[in-house]
Amino acid sequence: MTRPSVAATVRLAPPVWRAVFVTGLVALGGVLAVVFALEQRGEMSLAWWWPTAAIGAVAAAASPRRWRWLTAIGVGLASGVGSAVAGRPLLVIVLGAIGTAAEAWLVATALSSEQDRPRLTTLRDVGRFAIAAISGAALVGALMGVAREFSGGDFVEVFWTIGSSHLSAMVLIAPLGLIAIPRVASVRWWRSIVLTVAMLAATTAAFFPGTPVAVPILAMPLMAWAAVAEPMYFVAVQLLAVVGTAAGLTVIGGGAYAAASPDLATATALQVFTICLGATTLAISASQNDRRALESKQMAVSHLLHDAFRQSKSGFAILQEDAPGKYTVLEVNASAVVMLRSEFERSDTGRWRLREDALLRPSLSEATYDVSVTVDWEEVAPGNPPATITIDAVNRTGLNRVLLVSVQDLRPLREAEREMEWRLERERQVSRTFQALTQQKVDFVASVTHELRTPITSILGFAEELSDTTDDPSVRAQVDVILRNATRLRGVIDDVLLVSKLSRGPAAADALPVMDAGLALQRSIEDAKHSIQHRKLRVATEIEADLPVHGREIDLTRVFTNILTNAIKFSPDRGTVSVVAYRTDHQVVVTISDEGEGIADEDLTHIFDRFYRSSSSTSRGVPGTGLGLAIVKELLSVMDGKIELARAEPVGTCAQITLPIADVGAPPHPSDSDTPAR
């Protein structure tokens, strides 16, 4: 468990406190720049250590991205002040300030790429830090080398001296402000203290004046151990303590780096020692952080899978075969124990084990690496819950043959099957009851209408005779009313009788004759002539010759008459009814259109239902029973035809009837009815 780093904590602080802290860090960097610059006064002198860049990098990392450039400028000014106090040339001051500002900005930006929060935790973070630190140190070294070159100095010497100075300071100081701080409860203090004391003792022994054998890396194994075992922040603190001890003892003449040599100066040697030790320990510690994070993630996934395994409603068991017929239960969940209650028992240690008389043993021995075994548990162990058991054998390194037993509980499936069967039977009963009620209704309507047809026929007969024998105009007018209404009533009775007959289903198959649809259409128009003249309508016809179809004349005429009657009823006075009939390669197409109001969209889905009348028909008082279109559809189905209704453009309704073309030389087409539909 850790807390955010110093830079991250400041980054999340209120703006005022963040500004105070960042300003304080920049000021501290300026003070240290003055201190270390004054140790080497003169125009040609160079400071052996420059912590201003490292402290400036922490300050820049603590600043928001949009203000980071301003912090970097402040770091550059602080560095320039130190150089100016020490009496450096103007070009050195300017280029050194620019390089230090760029170095601080570069390191801060490299470690703040994720959500603008500075972090130095993972090996990837350390890699970015190393690249940014080396690049920044090289930039400062190059700028200072150019400045010294103009002053008569050596570019290469200045480049390596300044570069190593800045890089060693960055590696030693910047991590203290960028690494997350461990919480007190998560630290093993005794181990940290012992390791720190041992490191300092080893460093003192290696760098103490008069040590017979110079071994500067004596503390390296302890630092590596700390990098593996300790929190990364403690490793950074221990690194600072070890390097500080080594530097202090070197100043008083101890250690392998005290005696300067022409090839390697003391300061440069200490800087290289710091860089190597810091890079190694930080990389090891970061890799350990990655390993711990991966282990933590894997452990969380493992716990999640284990919980899912135990809480699953499906049964699972994992068995290991120690010897032929000898099995150890590695894992088993509660569902498997419940469904296979006759197979498992508790041992003396409280662990589950397979019973000696378990019915599952023969199936376990049959499973191979290539073949799975499936067991119907109802057949093997009657009385146990219904289930399907699948056994797979797998080979895992370090284990004997492992058997994966999965148990699929079939009780929900059986319950669903019973529920479905019960519902289906209930639906069958409802359907049978509905069919019986429907048949009773049809029989009742047929009986009533049949009884009504005889007196209506008598009324029509006597009315027609009275109309022929009377000469009184008033009596003839009354007789005409009787004839008109009796004829209308007989039409209703005929429709009801036809619907009743169609409702009984098809009778024995019979042959449909071939007839000309055009002639039947002409006959229907002729029969409706009186209504057409009464409404002053115009009938526009385009009827091709030779339109052979299979159908009875009376049925086909009734189809066309019903559609034509609807068109006449819904057309406005002096309107136009269009009748078109033509043939295609395989069909005869008849369209009848009117100029009425048209069919509403909500009526189109019910227009062929029996006794259905549209809202416009009811509101306008148009006579009808709602059986005409239902009869048309039924009669067309017998002739393998179909009808479609749609709104015509711009107004009106268009009815399109399609019938298959009859082959005149072919035998009669079989019908579903043996008598004319009347």
Side-chain angles (χ1 to χ4, degrees), residues 539-619:
V539 178
T541 60
E542 294 182 21
I543 302 175
E544 292 183 2
D546 189 21
L547 301 175
V549 296
H550 285 288
R552 294 186 181 85
E553 179 181 358
I554 187 173
D555 294 341
L556 197 57
T557 303
R558 190 182 191 97
V559 167
F560 294 147
T561 299
N562 283 2
I563 300 300
L564 188 59
T565 300
N566 282 345
I568 293 171
K569 286 193 297 185
F570 290 99
S571 291
D573 292 343
R574 294 182 175 82
T576 299
V577 175
S578 175
V579 180
V580 179
Y582 59 94
R583 62 185 297 171
T584 62
D585 292 339
H586 304 288
Q587 290 180 328
V588 170
V589 181
V590 178
T591 61
I592 300 176
S593 305
D594 60 58
E595 296 179 346
E597 294 182 357
I599 303 174
D601 293 337
E602 60 269 17
D603 292 328
L604 284 175
T605 56
H606 304 286
I607 201 68
F608 293 104
D609 295 346
R610 295 172 183 175
F611 303 105
Y612 180 82
R613 302 195 66 207
S614 64
S615 57
S616 60
S617 300
T618 305
S619 62

Side-chain angles (χ1 to χ4, degrees), residues 318-333:
I318 304 175
L319 285 71
Q320 177 180 261
E321 187 177 32
D322 301 324
K326 300 293 184 182
Y327 301 98
T328 300
V329 179
L330 301 180
E331 284 287 350
V332 61
N333 65 357

Side-chain angles (χ1 to χ4, degrees), residues 7-289:
T9 301
V10 175
R11 176 69 181 80
L12 299 175
V16 174
W17 290 107
R18 183 171 62 232
V20 170
F21 186 85
V22 170
T23 303
L25 283 179
V26 173
L28 176 61
V31 172
L32 292 176
V34 172
V35 171
F36 282 94
L38 289 177
E39 290 185 357
Q40 300 289 332
R41 289 178 175 271
E43 294 185 359
M44 301 301 295
S45 300
L46 297 173
W48 69 274
W49 206 50
W50 202 250
T52 304
I55 296 175
V58 175
S63 303
R65 188 186 302 273
R66 63 180 182 276
W67 299 113
R68 192 168 295 151
W69 63 272
L70 186 60
T71 303
I73 292 176
V75 173
L77 292 176
S79 176
V81 169
S83 298
V85 171
R88 307 285 194 266
L90 179 61
L91 186 60
V92 171
I93 296 173
V94 173
L95 293 182
I98 294 174
T100 304
E103 181 183 15
W105 181 89
L106 187 63
V107 172
T109 302
L111 295 179
S112 304
S113 59
E114 296 184 4
Q115 298 180 353
D116 198 26
R117 293 182 180 179
R119 189 184 71 168
L120 185 59
T121 302
T122 66
L123 190 60
R124 184 178 179 182
D125 297 336
V126 171
R128 287 201 299 263
F129 172 70
I131 293 173
I134 292 172
S135 301
L139 176 62
V140 176
L143 292 175
M144 293 295 287
V146 170
R148 286 297 186 183
E149 190 74 25
F150 279 99
S151 302
D154 185 2
F155 174 87
V156 176
E157 178 185 358
V158 173
F159 175 83
W160 286 113
T161 301
I162 295 298
S164 59
S165 170
H166 279 246
L167 184 59
S168 62
M170 189 68 70
V171 170
L172 193 61
I173 295 177
L176 296 174
L178 299 172
I179 297 174
I181 303 172
R183 297 186 183 276
V184 175
S186 63
V187 178
R188 296 182 180 180
W189 291 102
W190 63 269
R191 184 180 64 189
S192 301
I193 293 173
V194 170
L195 275 175
T196 303
V197 171
M199 289 177 202
L200 295 178
T203 304
T204 301
F207 286 87
F208 198 78
T211 300
V213 180
V215 188
I217 61 172
L218 187 61
M220 186 64 188
L222 294 173
M223 287 295 300
W225 183 11
V228 172
E230 293 290 290
M232 193 173 182
Y233 186 82
F234 280 13
V235 173
V237 173
Q238 291 163 345
L239 174 66
L240 179 62
V242 168
V243 172
T245 302
L249 293 174
T250 299
V251 170
I252 63 176
Y257 307 136
S261 67
D263 297 328
L264 186 66
T266 299
T268 304
L270 277 175
Q271 291 162 359
V272 173
F273 171 76
T274 301
I275 294 169
C276 293
L277 189 61
T280 302
T281 53
L282 289 177
I284 295 174
S285 185
S287 66
Q288 284 299 106
N289 284 342

